Amino acid sequence: MLVPYGMSIFCDDLRPEEGGKISFMGVYRTDIILNGEFPSTLPKFVIYVFYFEPKDCADEELTIKIFLPGDDPEKPSFETKLPKDFRQHTATNPNIGDDEEGIRGLHLPVVMGNLVLKQKGWIMVRAVCGKVTTKLGTLWVDHKSLPPPPPPQ
């Protein structure tokens, strides 16, 4: 039985390329270490969300939620609701039948400007469809203190 699944890419920027490609710049792996103290502002931050589900999944809207460090568990900093019609079948090859895997998917770039991170903690991406919550990615946010200035001469 297929269950919803997905992932997220956390990066500084993305750029569409020729031939339908996307280039991701400044990709974070497991964490983001900021210079200085909190709060800290990122001029641009991108979360590229991939979400896949069986095509016979519940006929309910899909909600993508992004929690920033310090968010209330019931109040994400970013939330968008997508009707089922928005999610498309992922098969683009005409030689693949509609019933091959029976999966439809969503690719959603979330671009944030002047993102203020108030404290250390997790950035978490979740998809909620009906009673099912799917974990789509996490990124640890922390900081390193700047060294003290050199002594006056």
Side-chain angles (χ1 to χ4, degrees), residues 47-153:
I47 303 174
Y48 197 89
V49 179
F50 298 87
Y51 172 79
F52 303 97
E53 65 186 8
K55 69 178 181 179
D56 60 354
C57 198
D59 285 328
E60 299 179 53
E61 70 182 6
L62 174 69
T63 303
I64 302 293
K65 298 181 178 187
I66 298 174
F67 296 88
L68 298 178
D71 279 355
D72 181 297
E74 300 300 318
K75 294 185 179 181
S77 289
F78 174 87
E79 181 173 333
T80 188
K81 297 180 185 300
L82 304 166
K84 186 174 181 182
D85 296 349
F86 188 79
R87 295 166 344 242
Q88 302 293 320
H89 190 275
T90 58
T92 56
N93 183 339
N95 297 321
I96 297 176
D98 193 42
D99 61 348
E100 281 293 321
E101 295 227 10
I103 296 173
R104 65 174 168 236
L106 166 71
H107 297 209
L108 179 69
V110 180
V111 180
M112 299 174 239
N114 294 316
L115 176 65
V116 177
L117 297 170
K118 299 175 185 172
Q119 64 187 60
K120 72 178 181 178
W122 293 100
I123 296 175
M124 300 182 297
V125 183
R126 302 292 184 256
V128 180
C129 187
K131 295 179 181 178
V132 177
T133 298
T134 304
K135 296 178 179 180
L136 300 178
T138 56
L139 183 71
W140 178 251
V141 177
D142 209 339
H143 73 94
K144 65 178 180 180
S145 296
L146 294 176
Q153 296 292 334

Side-chain angles (χ1 to χ4, degrees), residues 9-75:
I9 296 175
F10 301 90
C11 60
D12 291 329
D13 201 1
L14 60 84
R15 181 177 62 222
E17 302 285 348
E18 297 271 332
K21 297 184 291 183
I22 298 174
S23 291
F24 298 98
M25 274 53 77
V27 176
Y28 297 98
R29 294 181 290 182
T30 57
D31 55 12
I32 177 172
I33 306 298
L34 304 166
N35 288 318
E37 302 297 321
F38 290 108
S40 186
T41 302
L42 299 177
K44 189 171 186 181
F45 185 69
V46 177
I47 303 174
Y48 197 89
V49 179
F50 298 87
Y51 172 79
F52 303 97
E53 65 186 8
K55 69 178 181 179
D56 60 354
C57 198
D59 285 328
E60 299 179 53
E61 70 182 6
L62 174 69
T63 303
I64 302 293
K65 298 181 178 187
I66 298 174
F67 296 88
L68 298 178
D71 279 355
D72 181 297
E74 300 300 318
K75 294 185 179 181

